Amino acid sequence: MEQFVPADRTLSVCRRVCYAAGHFLNDLCASIWFTYLLVYFHSVLGFRSAYAGVLLLIGQVADGFCTPLIGYESDKTAGFLKLGKRKSWHLLGTICVLVSFPFIFTPCLACTDRTPQWAQIVYFTPFIILFQVGWAATQISHLSLIPELVSRESAKVELTAYRYAFSVVANITVYAVAWLLFRFQSEGSVDPSIIDNLGPVDIPLFRNLSLIVLGTGALFSLIFHVGTKEDPSASGGGGGQLITSSPTQESATLTVFQWKHWLKEPAFYQMAFLYMCTRLIVNLSQTYISVYLTYSLMLSKNFIAIIPLVMYISGFVCSLAMKPVSRLIGISMTYFIGLLLVLGFATWVFFDHKMEANNIFGAAVLLGAGSATILVMSLSMTATLIGEQTQSGAFVYGAMSLTDKVANGVGVILIQSIWPCSSESCCPDCVWFYRDVMASVTGGVAVAAALGLITVLIWPIRIRSNYLLNSRQQ
């Protein structure tokens, strides 16, 4: 009986860069979405705290539930316009993002001062849903290309690191542009309240920020489509069998995984929990860093651009060392080091009651480096789980994304609903509230992720079920 050996697929540096550019638009929009959505709707447009959380929850739930559906459809449908099926869904998602995102960070066009906030929520909801559907289509199709473009585990880690490096650059771009816009605004104003505090005067600033990132992201999406060649044979079919045989032996038939096979795999649920915890740390810390800086530390509004910028620069530097470190100590232990960095940040924030402006830079470095490490390693572990079962890879990534999107949305709405202040302006209680949120969310979820990692160390991420069915050669 012959042993099936997958072809060794590799990419040149140019191809890796072109591939990594394909998620740049998504990363730009996600940076604005998670970092500035709450402060924009609450502090700039004047929405109630809970209503701002509802809008984020709507987006996360829409993204979460459509993601596995998109993954399923992406696995079984053919491409169009002579594109592969992954690039076809990527193009469709990109178009949805481009046409919907500008309306989210622009005030309701048909509303007046008398329009109730619930009606404005109805206005923003279709744009948010369309944006999240497009974002999910782009994300899943882009992730699904990793195990199809390369086959070696080290190459998957490297390609994931390239992808994350572009994600870091995207976030740095957003925060750098935001910082410049805040700086230009302060230079043109002599009113200290405008310089230090967020309000309706910042509406044009956020609108311009969203338009700048959309134009930049569209250019990088074009680079991806021109420079990335999808191999239709690498993704396989929607189902079928791989057969190896010998004239003197029985044939062994390996069932190619469909979505229902993954639901029987213990490693599938291990990875889903670990990925959910990873995304909770990354996304919720990114969501609440702005309000923590504004309400807990009472820093001027330009810090909501400076501190996230420091976080992602540290993450970018850390991503450069991930490949050699993961080769030396393994992916799981590298992930554990990232958790230690996140726990260091949570401990610092919780015990340093008088966090000074200088100290927050050091804490931001820890959070940025830790978040980068656990995100890249979790994606690498997911690619390892998929292995050669690339024909159903989009479903796996979609299912992983479902867990994190729903958990993020529920987490935000729970936090927003227990906001301690009775009025919509911040009271002394919210100073401690957002500090506790930053410490407990990052630290608590990191502990949960560590427990999940223990199960991975005991039962490594791999397909465990035996789908070999022996049948006598006809």
Side-chain angles (χ1 to χ4, degrees):
M1 184 181 297
E2 298 177 357
Q3 184 180 6
F4 174 74
V5 179
D8 187 11
R9 300 185 298 273
T10 59
L11 292 178
S12 65
V13 173
C14 180
R15 296 293 188 192
R16 293 175 214 161
V17 171
C18 289
Y19 164 79
H23 207 253
F24 199 71
L25 173 62
N26 262 22
D27 290 326
L28 290 169
C29 293
S31 179
I32 298 178
W33 172 266
F34 284 112
T35 309
Y36 297 132
L37 185 80
L38 290 184
V39 295
Y40 174 72
F41 278 98
H42 179 54
S43 301
V44 177
L45 295 188
F47 276 50
R48 293 173 55 187
S49 177
Y51 283 176
V54 166
L55 287 171
L56 195 144
L57 175 64
I58 290 172
Q60 294 304 101
V61 171
D63 188 353
F65 280 100
C66 76
T67 295
L69 297 177
I70 290 174
Y72 175 76
E73 291 297 326
S74 175
D75 284 332
K76 76 172 190 175
T77 58
F80 57 87
L81 298 177
K82 297 182 179 181
L83 296 173
K85 60 183 181 180
R86 307 303 188 195
K87 290 180 64 177
S88 297
W89 280 94
H90 186 283
L91 178 61
L92 178 63
T94 300
I95 293 172
C96 291
V97 170
L98 290 175
V99 300
S100 61
F101 194 71
F103 293 95
I104 299 175
F105 284 89
T106 300
C108 175
L109 299 178
C111 299
T112 65
D113 294 338
R114 297 182 179 180
T115 305
Q117 290 187 0
W118 66 263
Q120 296 186 55
I121 290 178
V122 173
Y123 168 84
F124 284 111
T125 295
F127 297 115
I128 289 175
I129 292 176
L130 182 60
F131 161 66
Q132 293 291 0
V133 171
W135 198 96
T138 305
Q139 179 201 34
I140 296 305
S141 58
H142 194 255
L143 282 172
S144 301
L145 279 171
I146 293 178
E148 296 181 8
L149 294 175
V150 295
S151 56
R152 289 181 290 109
E153 298 306 320
S154 62
K156 292 175 184 178
V157 173
E158 185 174 30
L159 199 58
T160 305
Y162 269 83
R163 186 179 183 275
Y164 184 77
F166 266 78
S167 176
V168 171
V169 172
N171 282 276
I172 290 174
T173 300
V174 168
Y175 301 133
V177 172
W179 177 76
L180 288 174
L181 292 174
F182 280 127
R183 184 174 179 84
F184 292 152
Q185 182 192 61
S186 64
E187 289 179 351
S189 175
V190 294
D191 188 347
S193 63
I194 293 178
I195 297 174
D196 294 333
N197 302 318
L198 289 166
V201 70
D202 297 302
I203 289 175
L205 187 149
F206 285 98
R207 181 193 61 220
N208 294 338
L209 178 62
S210 65
L211 294 176
I212 290 171
V213 302
L214 285 177
T216 306
L219 176 61
F220 278 82
S221 294
L222 178 62
I223 293 173
F224 163 77
H225 279 278
V226 172
T228 302
K229 306 301 179 184
E230 180 179 351
D231 182 8
S233 63
S235 58
Q241 296 178 328
L242 298 175
I243 302 176
T244 60
S245 62
S246 170
T248 60
Q249 295 179 334
E250 294 178 340
S251 63
T253 305
L254 176 62
T255 301
V256 175
F257 266 37
Q258 299 176 2
W259 66 270
K260 57 186 178 182
H261 294 131
W262 289 111
L263 300 181
K264 302 175 183 178
E265 283 296 322
F268 176 80
Y269 298 99
Q270 280 180 285
M271 198 58 244
F273 178 77
L274 207 60
Y275 186 78
M276 179 189 70
C277 291
T278 300
R279 280 295 186 178
L280 277 173
I281 293 171
V282 174
N283 292 342
L284 289 183
S285 64
Q286 188 176 4
T287 299
Y288 284 98
I289 189 68
S290 295
V291 288
Y292 168 66
L293 296 170
T294 303
Y295 294 132
S296 295
L297 303 186
M298 299 181 183
L299 300 174
S300 60
K301 64 184 180 182
N302 65 316
F303 273 85
I304 69 174
I306 296 173
I307 296 303
L309 182 61
V310 172
M311 289 169 50
Y312 279 93
I313 290 176
S314 67
F316 177 75
V317 173
C318 185
S319 68
L320 300 177
M322 286 183 194
K323 182 181 178 181
V325 171
S326 64
R327 276 183 171 179
L328 181 64
I329 64 175
I331 294 177
S332 296
M333 291 308 299
T334 305
Y335 184 94
F336 180 69
I337 291 175
L339 288 180
L340 291 179
L341 294 174
V342 172
L343 284 170
F345 165 82
T347 303
W348 193 343
V349 168
F350 185 77
F351 286 104
D352 192 349
H353 293 180
K354 297 181 180 180
M355 179 78 74
E356 297 180 355
N358 293 334
N359 291 345
I360 190 60
F361 285 96
V365 169
L366 288 179
L367 180 59
S371 298
T373 301
I374 61 176
L375 183 57
V376 172
M377 292 302 105
S378 66
L379 290 174
S380 299
M381 283 189 274
T382 305
T384 298
L385 172 65
I386 294 171
E388 289 302 312
Q389 299 290 350
T390 58
Q391 72 290 329
S392 56
F395 171 78
V396 176
Y397 283 115
M400 301 298 163
S401 186
L402 170 63
T403 62
D404 95 78
K405 295 303 191 306
V406 174
N408 283 326
V410 172
V412 168
I413 198 63
L414 287 176
I415 293 171
Q416 293 300 106
S417 64
I418 61 175
W419 198 57
C421 302
S422 56
S423 65
E424 289 312 304
S425 60
C426 186
C427 64
D429 289 337
C430 80
V431 174
W432 302 109
F433 176 73
Y434 286 119
R435 187 210 68 179
D436 293 341
V437 166
M438 286 299 296
S440 60
V441 166
T442 55
V445 179
V447 171
L451 296 176
L453 184 63
I454 291 175
T455 70
V456 173
L457 295 175
I458 298 174
W459 301 288
I461 295 292
R462 66 174 183 270
I463 297 174
R464 301 189 182 99
S465 299
N466 184 8
Y467 288 99
L468 286 175
L469 303 174
N470 293 325
S471 62
R472 191 173 300 278
Q473 187 178 16
Q474 300 297 326

